[in-house]
Amino acid sequence: MVEKLFEINRAIARIREAVRPFPKAAMFALADEGYGSPFEQLVSCIISIRTYDEVSLPVSRRLFARARTPEAMSRLTPAEIEQLIQDCTFHEPKSRQIHAIAQRIVTDYNGELPCEAEVLLAFDGVGPKCSNLTLGIACGQACISVDIHVHRVTNRWGYVQTRKPEKTLTALEAKLPTVYWVEINQLLVPFGKHICTGNLPHCSTCPVAEMCQQVGVEKHR
């Protein structure tokens, strides 16, 4: 069997067109609405963890209607934050986490969240996914954010061969052209939700099917 060559430049161009009709990934949608500061992006990403975009988007908007800066957020109590974000999963620990981050930014960074990975990753509960999304979207830094969609799709293509998202991040950093580092998440979230789905992917209408090795795909549409 001849291994298919995955042409990433052609694939990205095709996927841009394919996902155009679908809603944008949550963090990118919020940035388009004006919620693009590092603090807003970080808080929105925390809210989105284990929560569908259809829920996390209105939750983030509701919270930011009350507080959009670290100083304003720190003036709320964790209980007030929890009430505002109660529709997302793990709302109680997330409310304490958001409050603690806001307080620390006010105390240690004069109310402005620095665009530095070391700072973001030092906050409790913030991992590479949220750190890299924040740095990529709000700070314009070349960072890859690997969520379940990016991990599943790139491995299904055969573009990388990894078992865990953190390994996928390392593999993509070594292989993916830097120009796509932020965009890969923006594209593969809707692509993974609507086309290259976890179960029964839409291979018959996929724009990159002829390049894809379909790793792990047993049945498809």
Side-chain angles (χ1 to χ4, degrees):
M1 179 178 174
V2 178
E3 184 174 307
K4 298 178 182 179
L5 175 64
F6 198 88
E7 300 178 44
I8 192 65
N9 294 317
R10 191 151 58 98
I12 291 292
R14 291 183 179 186
I15 292 169
R16 284 186 190 127
E17 292 303 314
V19 302
R20 198 179 298 275
F22 304 120
K24 289 187 176 182
M27 303 300 99
F28 295 89
L30 287 167
D32 285 350
E33 294 174 19
Y35 303 108
S37 72
F39 179 68
E40 289 168 331
Q41 284 289 305
L42 181 61
V43 168
S44 297
C45 192
I46 291 168
I47 289 171
S48 76
I49 294 171
R50 300 290 181 88
T51 303
Y52 291 119
D53 285 359
E54 295 79 5
V55 175
S56 66
L57 279 166
V59 166
S60 293
R61 294 181 189 117
R62 184 163 61 241
L63 177 62
F64 294 146
R66 285 286 306 275
R68 294 186 62 175
T69 65
E71 184 177 1
M73 195 73 72
S74 69
R75 290 199 295 266
L76 299 177
T77 65
E80 288 174 318
I81 296 172
E82 183 182 2
Q83 185 176 23
L84 291 164
I85 69 169
Q86 61 184 332
D87 292 336
C88 73
T89 56
F90 309 117
H91 46 83
E92 194 273 333
K94 286 179 181 179
S95 65
R96 288 187 279 105
Q97 182 184 1
I98 291 167
H99 186 261
I101 289 173
Q103 284 192 318
R104 188 169 168 190
I105 295 171
V106 170
T107 301
D108 295 351
Y109 303 105
N110 297 316
E112 293 290 334
L113 178 59
C115 286
E116 299 174 16
E118 296 79 5
V119 172
L120 299 180
L121 292 170
F123 295 132
D124 287 340
V126 175
K129 173 191 168 183
C130 284
S131 173
N132 285 2
L133 267 178
T134 299
L135 294 172
I137 299 173
C139 303
Q141 297 183 16
C143 296
I144 302 172
S145 179
V146 176
D147 69 350
I148 187 61
H149 300 291
V150 174
H151 173 62
R152 183 185 69 246
V153 171
T154 54
N155 275 276
R156 183 175 283 170
W157 287 342
Y159 189 68
V160 298
Q161 298 84 39
T162 62
R163 294 193 175 187
K164 295 182 178 180
E166 55 267 29
K167 297 295 186 182
T168 298
L169 173 59
T170 302
L172 287 174
E173 286 176 337
K175 186 173 187 178
L176 184 70
T178 309
V179 68
Y180 302 134
W181 279 23
V182 176
E183 189 181 16
I184 195 74
N185 185 276
Q186 181 180 15
L187 295 178
L188 294 195
V189 169
F191 184 72
K193 284 183 176 182
H194 301 284
I195 299 173
C196 194
T197 52
N199 295 317
L200 294 176
H202 298 261
C203 298
S204 62
T205 56
C206 175
V208 298
E210 81 275 14
M211 309 180 211
C212 180
Q213 294 185 33
Q214 296 182 313
V215 177
V217 175
E218 296 180 359
K219 295 182 180 180
H220 60 81
R221 289 174 277 192

